[in-house]
Amino acid sequence: MNTNDPPQGFVTGLWHILGDHRKLMALSILSGLLFSATTLVPPLLVRRLILWITDGGGSTSGLLAMTAVLGIVYVLRGAGRYFYGRFSHVASYGVTTDLMARVYRHLQQLSHSFYNRQRTGALIVRSVNDIETLEDFIAHGVPELILATVIPITMWCVLFWIHPLLALLVVLPLPIGGYVIYRYTREVRQMWRQVRAGISDLVAQVQDSFSGITEIKSFGKEKAQAAHVASSAADYRDKICAANKVSLLPSAVVEFSGGVGVIVAVWVGGSLALAGTLNVADLFVFIAYLAYIYLPFLKLADISDTLHRAGASQERIFELLAVQPEISSPPDAITPRIERWDVAFHNVSFGYQSEEAVLNGIDFEIGAGEMVALVGATGAGKTTVSRLIPRFYDPQDGQVCIGGHDLRSLDLEFLRANVASVMQDVFLFHGTVRQNIAFGRPEATVDEIVQAAQASNAHEFVVDLPDGYNTIIGERGVLLSGGQKQRISIARALLKDAPILILDEATSSVDTETEWLIQQALNRLTRNRTTLVIAHRLSTIRHADKIVVLDSGRIIESGAHDELMARGGRYAQMVETQSLARSWQLSGQPELQPAGD
């Protein structure tokens, strides 16, 4: 399916979701029909037995044959029920697996701008919980919907054959239940959609709380944050109670309608039997079948809750799949053979919001194998420049080129395979050291991983960990120090061996000794690579081939360190300010005193 054109309607969407599992669902329904067919037989056999007893036409051999048939019926009934549940669950688990994988692949393709507008917890609910809701409906709801139609019609036809007038009378209450279900369907669907949105908000709130647990404890906000979560939980409770209040009405009405049908059968059928116009055996079949006729409708009313949940979840899933990535490979994308991996910005302007420019007319080049450093105050646009190279965003105006090719003409996977990044805020996955270093090259050998760790000055501390390279480092690498995480990140970039490298303040916020180890590793990493460095400590970029100074999204000066120092401009002022601050620290600055002292 083209995600630009999601299926319209619940049934069409469900048919599409079943995909390759339709045959299994068909087998489940056939097994269910076998189970239903066997439901018809026992009351008819008992009817025959009653007729034999009352008419005196039975025999021992006939009774034995009837018993044998009854045994076969119940064997088939058991097999039908088993395969009915087996096939439907296998189909539903297959759908769940396929749909989760599909949604995750789609989410990976979406642009950074999409994630800027979303909460992680809400996306988790859509990509996991909503799909699980569909699984429950496919496993139980779909077969029940089919059987709720087939069983009553078949049994009613048998009753109509026995006594047409009584058959019409006992099903008269059914339209009432049908109308109630129809009447509340749209309202309940909307209410369950609000419930799914409520659980998304609740999960997002809890996820935010876990992610920010250090800040919550540091500011003593445990009670306040618990109150926020409790408020979201109460809101979810109110929404789900309101939805249940309405969605449970159909089952109550069907239960009442079924009771009315039984009352009619007992009164009218009993009267006919007393008058001698209806056989007692036929009255037994009427009463026995009535339970089966109304039971599917009662089940249908019961699963209406699941149906509406599934409908709301399906809508939310297809809404997500309908979102198109703003950044993608063009239809005629190229993967050229690039000899010189130079990077060029040609009059680039960009804003995260189109009306708010972050970059204005940026023009500079990074020659193949050169190192260019970006410096400037916080908010000058340095990180934004780095995000344009791997096409996390596209400029509104101008071009970013690699090897003379506009990035928008390149295959996106090819582009990003040739760009490596070492960021200030390092993200490591929950797993082993080995897995994190080899993240960009899972096929790397143990020797290659160790060599990358040695080159990044990480090997010494890794071998001292409890399980060496097989040590689990926790979520986001929580069991490592900042400097250790940074060196793992450098090892990861070394192993990827991309020709273009982005360093975003990779040595900030670490002590002098760790900075020296990291700087050594970076010197090895940048060798013979086209490198863009976002510098916080200006002392680390003195030997860059070129330094570009940004201010409010514009380039105000550029050149080598000595050249810029000779000019005495903004860069020289920044260097002087940092030098004075460094000298002040080394001289033993006075301790901060409490206010008022």
Side-chain angles (χ1 to χ4, degrees):
M1 181 192 73
N2 187 336
T3 53
N4 277 320
D5 188 23
Q8 298 297 317
F10 178 69
V11 175
T12 306
L14 189 61
W15 177 254
H16 169 77
I17 285 174
L18 283 172
D20 296 335
H21 307 283
R22 293 168 191 159
K23 290 182 179 179
L24 275 175
M25 187 54 65
L27 288 172
S28 171
I29 292 171
L30 289 174
S31 300
L33 292 176
L34 173 63
F35 172 76
S36 304
T38 58
T39 305
L40 293 169
V41 178
L44 294 177
L45 290 177
V46 174
R47 174 179 179 269
R48 171 54 59 188
L49 178 62
I50 293 173
L51 289 174
W52 281 352
I53 294 172
T54 55
D55 296 342
S59 65
T60 303
S61 60
L63 184 61
L64 183 60
M66 181 184 294
T67 304
V69 171
L70 199 59
I72 294 171
V73 165
Y74 277 104
V75 169
L76 292 175
R77 184 175 173 81
R81 176 174 284 280
Y82 172 79
F83 287 110
Y84 156 63
R86 173 69 177 166
F87 288 136
S88 67
H89 279 86
V90 172
S92 66
Y93 297 146
V95 167
T96 301
T97 302
D98 294 348
L99 197 54
M100 281 185 177
R102 176 182 169 189
V103 169
Y104 182 71
R105 286 195 303 269
H106 181 72
L107 285 171
Q108 284 189 311
Q109 294 172 359
L110 297 182
S111 309
H112 278 59
S113 55
F114 169 81
Y115 289 98
N116 292 343
R117 301 187 297 267
Q118 303 295 322
R119 300 180 73 182
T120 303
L123 291 178
I124 291 173
V125 170
R126 285 203 181 193
S127 56
V128 179
N129 295 37
D130 281 338
I131 293 174
E132 286 184 340
T133 301
L134 274 179
E135 183 275 326
D136 184 46
F137 177 72
I138 292 170
H140 304 101
V142 173
E144 291 292 348
L145 284 173
I146 302 295
L147 300 183
T149 304
V150 175
I151 293 176
I153 291 176
T154 306
M155 288 187 166
W156 186 81
C157 289
V158 174
L159 295 183
F160 190 83
W161 170 71
I162 293 174
H163 198 289
L165 178 61
L166 184 58
L168 288 172
L169 290 175
V170 297
V171 296
L172 280 179
L174 275 179
I176 300 174
Y179 171 76
V180 171
I181 294 173
Y182 171 78
R183 164 67 178 79
Y184 288 102
T185 293
R186 180 171 296 181
E187 181 180 350
V188 173
R189 174 76 60 81
Q190 183 58 34
M191 295 179 79
W192 278 114
R193 186 174 176 82
Q194 293 173 0
V195 168
R196 301 312 300 169
I199 191 63
S200 292
D201 290 341
L202 177 58
V203 172
Q205 182 75 50
V206 173
Q207 193 270 338
D208 287 347
S209 298
F210 289 154
S211 298
I213 190 66
T214 301
E215 286 72 16
I216 291 172
K217 290 180 177 294
S218 297
F219 286 89
K221 289 294 182 180
E222 291 92 340
K223 290 183 179 179
Q225 198 63 26
H228 287 315
V229 172
S231 176
S232 296
D235 181 62
Y236 172 66
R237 176 204 62 203
D238 294 342
K239 288 177 179 176
I240 199 169
C241 285
N244 271 309
K245 179 181 178 182
V246 178
S247 64
L248 292 176
L249 276 175
S251 59
V253 172
V254 171
E255 188 78 51
F256 172 75
S257 301
V260 172
V262 172
I263 291 171
V264 170
V266 170
W267 174 254
V268 177
S271 299
L272 293 173
L274 288 173
T277 57
L278 181 68
N279 193 291
V280 174
D282 292 336
L283 178 61
F284 165 77
V285 174
F286 260 90
I287 295 175
Y289 271 16
L290 270 181
Y292 288 111
I293 288 176
Y294 279 94
L295 182 62
F297 283 94
L298 187 59
K299 286 184 177 180
L300 182 60
D302 287 339
I303 67 171
S304 66
D305 193 42
T306 305
L307 172 65
H308 295 309
R309 292 187 192 207
S313 293
Q314 180 180 284
E315 288 175 5
R316 284 161 51 84
I317 291 167
F318 280 131
E319 279 182 4
L320 189 60
L321 289 172
V323 177
Q324 291 300 294
E326 297 174 17
I327 307 295
S328 60
S329 297
D332 55 348
I334 59 174
T335 55
R337 181 180 177 84
I338 298 178
E339 299 293 340
R340 292 182 54 80
W341 290 89
D342 58 325
V343 179
F345 283 73
H346 299 303
N347 197 31
V348 169
S349 295
F350 170 78
Y352 295 101
Q353 304 293 333
S354 56
E355 66 278 4
E356 299 178 7
V358 177
L359 302 177
N360 291 282
I362 298 297
D363 242 318
F364 73 94
E365 294 186 9
I366 312 173
E370 287 186 347
M371 177 190 291
V372 171
L374 288 181
V375 300
T378 300
K382 305 185 296 295
T383 298
T384 300
V385 169
S386 71
R387 289 175 176 173
L388 296 181
I389 295 176
R391 276 197 78 197
F392 293 157
Y393 301 91
D394 279 338
Q396 276 89 33
D397 293 301
Q399 289 181 318
V400 182
C401 297
I402 287 179
H405 300 277
D406 189 324
L407 297 188
R408 287 169 287 201
S409 69
L410 300 178
D411 177 79
L412 198 56
E413 186 175 348
F414 166 79
L415 168 64
R416 291 177 180 170
N418 288 288
V419 179
S421 301
V422 178
M423 315 304 287
Q424 176 185 4
D425 184 17
V426 176
F427 186 94
L428 298 180
F429 295 90
H430 179 78
T432 66
V433 173
R434 182 198 308 271
Q435 290 168 336
N436 274 276
I437 294 177
F439 182 72
R441 275 186 59 202
E443 74 283 0
T445 65
V446 174
D447 287 342
E448 289 174 326
I449 292 171
V450 171
Q451 288 172 11
Q454 289 172 336
S456 67
N457 286 336
H459 179 73
E460 287 188 6
F461 82 78
V462 170
V463 295
D464 286 337
L465 294 173
D467 295 311
Y469 283 87
N470 293 318
T471 301
I472 300 292
I473 59 176
E475 188 173 0
R476 298 183 67 92
V478 68
L479 300 180
L480 301 178
S481 70
Q484 289 173 334
K485 288 192 288 186
Q486 196 66 269
R487 280 175 276 170
I488 294 294
S489 176
I490 294 171
R492 185 166 60 188
L494 275 164
L495 194 61
K496 185 178 181 181
D497 196 24
I500 296 175
L501 178 64
I502 298 171
L503 305 176
D504 189 349
E505 301 195 23
T507 60
S508 64
S509 304
V510 294
D511 59 77
T512 304
E513 181 180 353
T514 303
E515 180 185 359
W516 180 76
L517 291 171
I518 292 174
Q519 195 59 54
Q520 276 189 322
L522 290 176
N523 290 339
R524 300 187 190 105
L525 178 60
T526 57
R527 194 172 298 142
N528 300 321
R529 287 184 173 85
T530 303
T531 305
L532 177 69
V533 180
I534 296 174
H536 175 71
R537 297 182 179 178
L538 301 182
S539 59
T540 63
I541 51 131
R542 290 174 179 266
H543 300 295
D545 295 289
K546 182 163 59 179
I547 298 168
V548 176
V549 183
L550 288 177
D551 183 48
S552 300
R554 297 181 184 277
I555 296 177
I556 57 173
E557 59 181 352
S558 65
H561 171 79
D562 292 339
E563 179 185 350
L564 293 178
M565 290 301 295
R567 289 183 193 172
R570 180 67 61 83
Y571 176 76
Q573 294 172 8
M574 293 170 64
V575 172
E576 183 178 354
T577 300
Q578 284 198 8
S579 297
L580 287 172
R582 183 66 173 168
S583 300
W584 180 63
Q585 290 174 350
L586 293 174
S587 65
Q589 71 276 20
E591 294 183 0
L592 292 174
Q593 299 296 323
D597 285 0

